[in-house]
């Protein structure tokens, strides 16, 4: 992968790009592999370049609470690196994927003096704050139907590719609750299944949000 295709590196000099190449490598993962687990000490900076990565926590009852699905190209859990704290959640691949792995100590010492790079990392951190805000709003202020409608509207690709029990886990509801909601949406003609494929009325779906 061309490093300048990665948004945080796009404005770096050729010298800096060569330095990044010298301290990084790409690693492949299979569906179900963990990138890291909650409580693990961070050593490397991770950039998702291929695949879908789910970040989640487990509550005291053993239920998985999905925080976000990351798509390429994304910095993953960079806050743990910069604050030198253990990873606050688990990260598991929903699909096969690839990650660019950088030695963080060398990255921090030799590259973070570049203002363009720092600005892009700040933008990434602000995006993570937005993700947290969305999780809070979704779980505290939306009912189950609205949460489901929002997920389908914003992540149609995941809705048609993931199993319903996985989607229920993402939405922090039981599979039975999700099944009842999907049945209601089908009865209203908002979602339909034909020939093994979903047909989604996005205009009607949006009215539920």
């Amino acid at each position: 992968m061309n490093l300048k295709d990665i948004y945080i590196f796009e404005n770096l000099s050729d010298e800096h790009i060569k330095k990044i190449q010298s301290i990084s490598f790409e690693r492949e993962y299979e569906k179900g592999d963990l990138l890291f687990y909650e409580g693990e000490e961070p050593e490397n900076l991770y950039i998702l370049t291929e695949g879908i990565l789910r970040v989640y926590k487990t509550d005291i009852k053993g239920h998985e609470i999905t925080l976000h699905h990351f798509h390429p190209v994304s910095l993953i859990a960079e806050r743990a690196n910069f604050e030198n704290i253990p990873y606050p959640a688990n990260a598991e691949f929903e699909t096969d994927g690839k990650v660019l792995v950088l030695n963080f100590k060398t990255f921090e010492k030799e590259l973070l003096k570049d203002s363009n790079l720092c600005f892009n990392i700040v933008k990434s951190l602000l995006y993570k704050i937005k993700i947290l805000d969305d999780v809070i709003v979704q779980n505290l202020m939306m009912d189950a139907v609205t949460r489901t409608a929002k997920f389908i509207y914003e992540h149609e690709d995941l809705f048609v590719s993931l199993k319903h029990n996985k989607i229920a886990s993402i939405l922090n509801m039981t599979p039975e609750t999700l099944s009842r909601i999907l049945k209601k949406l089908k009865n209203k003609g908002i979602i339909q299944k034909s020939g093994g494929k979903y047909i989604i009325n996005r205009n009607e779906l949006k009215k539920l949000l």
Side-chain angles (χ1 to χ4, degrees), residues 39-50:
E40 181 182 351
E41 296 291 336
E43 295 182 0
N44 299 306
L45 186 66
Y46 296 122
I47 301 175
L48 180 67
T49 58
E50 290 185 24

Side-chain angles (χ1 to χ4, degrees), residues 8-206:
I8 66 169
F9 302 147
E10 59 187 358
N11 296 316
L12 295 186
S13 67
D14 290 341
E15 180 182 354
H16 281 165
I17 291 295
K18 288 180 181 179
K19 185 62 184 178
I20 292 171
Q21 289 174 332
S22 72
I23 64 169
S24 66
F25 62 93
E26 197 167 51
R27 180 182 291 162
E28 296 185 1
Y29 291 85
E30 295 182 353
K31 178 180 178 181
D33 285 348
L34 282 175
L35 179 61
F36 53 77
Y37 58 87
E38 183 175 356
E40 181 182 351
E41 296 291 336
E43 295 182 0
N44 299 306
L45 186 66
Y46 296 122
I47 301 175
L48 180 67
T49 58
E50 290 185 24
I52 299 173
L53 186 73
R54 180 172 73 105
V55 175
Y56 68 94
K57 292 180 72 71
T58 304
D59 65 19
I60 57 175
K61 295 182 179 180
H63 301 138
E64 294 182 358
I65 301 172
T66 299
L67 303 178
H68 193 61
H69 280 86
F70 286 96
H71 297 73
V73 172
S74 300
L75 271 169
I76 305 298
E78 66 273 28
R79 174 173 166 259
N81 294 107
F82 290 110
E83 294 190 9
N84 194 28
I85 59 173
Y87 289 116
N90 307 288
E92 179 184 16
F93 278 89
E94 291 281 7
T95 65
D96 292 349
K98 291 183 181 179
V99 168
L100 186 70
V101 183
L102 295 90
N103 180 281
F104 181 72
K105 288 185 178 179
T106 304
F107 177 80
E108 182 181 34
K109 180 180 178 181
E110 301 188 17
L111 292 164
L112 281 185
K113 296 175 183 178
D114 187 283
S115 59
N116 289 318
L117 178 59
C118 289
F119 179 69
N120 286 333
I121 289 174
V122 169
K123 287 197 297 183
S124 179
L125 289 168
L126 290 173
Y127 174 64
K128 301 300 168 39
I129 293 173
K130 180 183 181 301
I131 291 172
L132 180 60
D133 287 343
D134 288 345
V135 170
I136 292 171
V137 169
Q138 175 177 299
N139 287 284
L140 296 183
M141 300 180 66
M142 291 183 180
D143 61 25
V145 173
T146 306
R147 294 207 311 273
T148 303
K150 184 175 187 291
F151 177 83
I152 298 172
Y153 189 82
E154 295 182 350
H155 304 288
E156 188 173 329
D157 58 332
L158 293 178
F159 175 70
V160 300
S161 62
L162 295 179
K163 294 182 179 179
H164 286 178
N165 64 339
K166 181 67 72 172
I167 295 173
S169 173
I170 293 172
L171 296 173
N172 301 319
M173 63 179 66
T174 66
E176 292 77 16
T177 298
L178 177 63
S179 180
R180 287 194 295 269
I181 293 170
L182 293 179
K183 185 176 181 179
K184 290 180 181 178
L185 295 179
K186 290 176 183 176
N187 290 338
K188 292 181 178 180
I190 296 176
I191 62 173
Q192 298 178 16
K193 198 169 186 179
S194 177
K197 294 183 179 181
Y198 277 102
I199 301 172
I200 298 172
N201 188 327
R202 293 182 61 81
N203 290 330
E204 290 299 316
L205 195 62
K206 191 174 182 180

